[in-house]
Amino acid sequence: MQAIGQIHRADAGTIDFIHMMGSMSCILNAGAGAGLYEQLTQDPETGYSHDKNGHLKVAPGNANRAPEAATWGGDIASGKMGSADMNADMDAINLNDLIKRNPGRNPMELMNQYYQNVAKDPSYRADQFCQHYDPDGTRDPDKGYQWLQDNGYHLSTAPLGDKGLAVLNQATPSKQSDAFDQFMDSIDQQRHQ
């Protein structure tokens, strides 16, 4: 577990560990994004899914985007995203994907292996993240990056009825745009280190 310890040292400043673990909990929850508190409920009149406080609303037919609501999509919609948040969001998506692709393997061993790779290769985190979004399913990080560039902002900020995500207290479009640009710039920089 040495790699995990190095990534999460208080002075490392690389990710927000609590943010990442909370996001992973939301993603891995059988309720598809309800998080630590409860299962999502579906409003019979609108079809929107939400928790008891109205958080993590997901449009009908878009429940498969709950991981984005729990991570980067929610941060962009709120207009608040720091570098520690960005890395935590990418790690939550990447680790969830790694765990799903390796059933039966110890999640802590997978996490340690992941952080060893992050420590060895500065582009590993962002490339793995982009691979997750390759629309062809071939895990091509360039195609995934392009999909994020073309669709990520809309997914994060679109009205619920337009298969987008929504969070309580959404930011102004200007702040959302700035947060999205910052997120994409960070991914691009990490991929080309």
Side-chain angles (χ1 to χ4, degrees):
M1 301 301 160
Q2 183 177 9
I4 293 172
Q6 291 298 314
I7 293 294
H8 299 295
R9 284 189 344 249
D11 63 336
T14 54
I15 77 164
D16 179 342
F17 185 71
I18 299 300
H19 179 114
M20 182 198 71
M21 294 305 290
S23 295
M24 283 188 66
S25 177
C26 290
I27 294 167
L28 295 170
N29 184 326
L36 300 170
Y37 307 109
E38 64 184 347
Q39 300 291 323
L40 287 175
T41 56
Q42 189 171 31
D43 184 318
E45 292 182 29
T46 65
Y48 300 141
S49 298
H50 55 83
D51 69 10
K52 70 179 181 178
N53 297 313
H55 297 100
L56 298 177
K57 293 180 181 176
V58 182
N62 206 28
N64 64 327
R65 290 298 181 201
E68 287 76 23
T71 59
W72 59 271
D75 288 343
I76 290 168
S78 73
K80 299 174 186 171
M81 182 173 287
S83 61
D85 284 342
M86 288 182 234
N87 288 339
D89 290 342
M90 287 191 279
D91 288 352
I93 295 285
N94 291 346
L95 288 166
N96 176 64
D97 187 49
L98 190 61
I99 291 167
K100 282 184 175 181
R101 289 186 296 113
N102 292 279
R105 295 262 324 262
N106 181 322
M108 291 304 292
E109 288 176 11
L110 291 171
M111 186 181 282
N112 196 47
Q113 176 187 357
Y114 173 81
Y115 283 115
Q116 286 173 353
N117 290 333
V118 168
K120 287 181 203 170
D121 178 2
S123 65
Y124 183 80
R125 171 185 281 130
D127 280 341
Q128 292 297 304
F129 180 76
C130 290
Q131 286 178 9
H132 180 75
Y133 292 99
D134 173 5
D136 299 331
T138 59
R139 302 191 61 78
D140 181 328
D142 293 327
K143 289 179 182 177
Y145 179 84
Q146 189 60 53
W147 185 92
L148 285 163
Q149 189 67 48
D150 294 344
N151 299 287
Y153 180 77
H154 179 75
L155 175 68
S156 301
T157 61
L160 286 173
D162 195 18
K163 291 199 176 215
L165 306 173
V167 296
L168 202 59
N169 301 325
Q170 280 190 273
T172 64
S174 174
K175 286 186 179 182
Q176 290 173 337
S177 180
D178 289 347
F180 177 74
D181 290 344
Q182 182 183 7
F183 185 58
M184 293 307 297
D185 288 347
S186 177
I187 292 170
D188 189 50
Q189 288 172 7
Q190 287 187 38
R191 289 190 66 221
H192 296 98
Q193 287 186 22

